[in-house]
Amino acid sequence: MATLTEALGIIGVLLILVGLGLAFAGRKLWTPFMSLVGAILGGAVGFIVGQYYVGGTFGPLLLGLIGSILGSILFNYLVKIALALIAAGIPAILTYFALRGDPVADQTAQDTPVIVAILVLLIVFALAYYLVEELIGIVTAVVGGFLLGAGVFLLTTNVNLAIAAAAIVFLAGAILQTLAVRAAKKGAAWRLRWRRSQPGQPVVPTYNPPPPPPSPTPPPQSSPTPNPESTPPPPPPYP
């Protein structure tokens, strides 16, 4: 029993840390977090399939490793879909338990709580996927608050304290991330407005051909040198 309590305490601390990170920095941590979630889910599915169809020791481990790699890659490239699924899964689960659904008694999953939970899942998934860019901060704050509340509950087994902590972290994280998104959008709009307000148009460089080469100058005319044989004799002196 002590070992189980310690394990639940460690899981609770991890959930609290992950919840705080998602609530206050979800936009930055969401992609690696979804890769981790995809690796865990893919590894679990691969291990279960290996246990059921292969058996032994190495077969389930190998399929679990392959599923972990594939799940990490899938969730990394399908972040929006994964975000919408998680955002829709939380209210669907809460709706199911709020309507007092009993999975043991309802083996065929045809009772009213199951149908209502599926409808909630589909509707919230469609809305979250359509508005994922605008609501990513709020959704990550919701997920972070939910994980933190789960961690607090595992540590203290106090439902009221867990709900209060989850609500406080959700509100604080949603407000801070929304302000950060608005500040980023205002900064981008201000930079665009500043670029448009700059006078003048960008100077397009034009090609100026080189000047033509100068025309060759003729060589200078030299005066002819007199030939002494062809020069007439001087006249005799005047008496």
Side-chain angles (χ1 to χ4, degrees):
M1 185 64 65
T3 304
L4 179 60
T5 304
E6 293 176 358
L8 291 177
I10 294 174
I11 295 174
V13 172
L14 292 177
L15 288 177
I16 290 174
L17 294 177
V18 174
L20 288 174
L22 286 176
F24 294 100
R27 295 178 63 86
K28 297 179 181 179
L29 299 178
W30 186 251
T31 300
F33 173 73
M34 293 311 301
S35 298
L36 177 61
V37 172
I40 294 174
L41 294 179
V45 172
F47 185 81
I48 293 173
V49 171
Q51 284 277 33
Y52 187 78
Y53 288 101
V54 179
T57 303
F58 296 101
L61 291 177
L62 180 61
L63 289 180
L65 178 61
I66 295 174
S68 178
I69 295 174
L70 293 178
S72 176
I73 295 173
L74 181 65
F75 271 59
N76 189 22
Y77 285 99
L78 299 178
V79 174
K80 293 182 180 180
I81 296 178
L83 174 61
L85 281 176
I86 291 180
I90 294 174
I93 294 173
L94 294 177
T95 302
Y96 179 77
F97 284 105
L99 295 177
R100 298 180 180 179
D102 190 358
V104 178
D106 184 21
Q107 295 291 336
T108 59
Q110 294 180 358
D111 286 346
T112 303
V114 177
I115 298 174
V116 175
I118 292 175
L119 291 177
V120 171
L121 177 68
L122 294 177
I123 295 173
V124 177
F125 172 78
L127 291 176
Y129 186 76
Y130 180 72
L131 301 173
V132 65
E133 293 295 337
E134 291 78 6
L135 298 179
I136 186 171
I138 298 176
V139 172
T140 52
V142 171
V143 177
F146 179 79
L147 294 178
L148 183 134
V152 172
F153 176 76
L154 291 178
L155 286 176
T156 62
T157 65
N158 190 337
V159 178
N160 296 328
L161 180 61
I163 294 175
I168 293 173
V169 170
F170 159 68
L171 291 176
I175 292 173
L176 290 178
Q177 291 203 69
T178 303
L179 292 177
V181 171
R182 290 184 179 179
K185 289 183 178 180
K186 287 183 179 179
W190 183 85
R191 286 192 296 269
L192 181 61
R193 193 181 302 112
W194 180 79
R195 290 176 182 175
R196 290 180 178 179
S197 64
Q198 292 300 309
Q201 298 293 332
V203 179
V204 179
T206 57
Y207 174 74
N208 295 323
S215 59
T217 56
Q221 296 289 339
S222 58
S223 59
T225 304
N227 191 359
E229 295 180 359
S230 62
T231 304
Y238 185 77

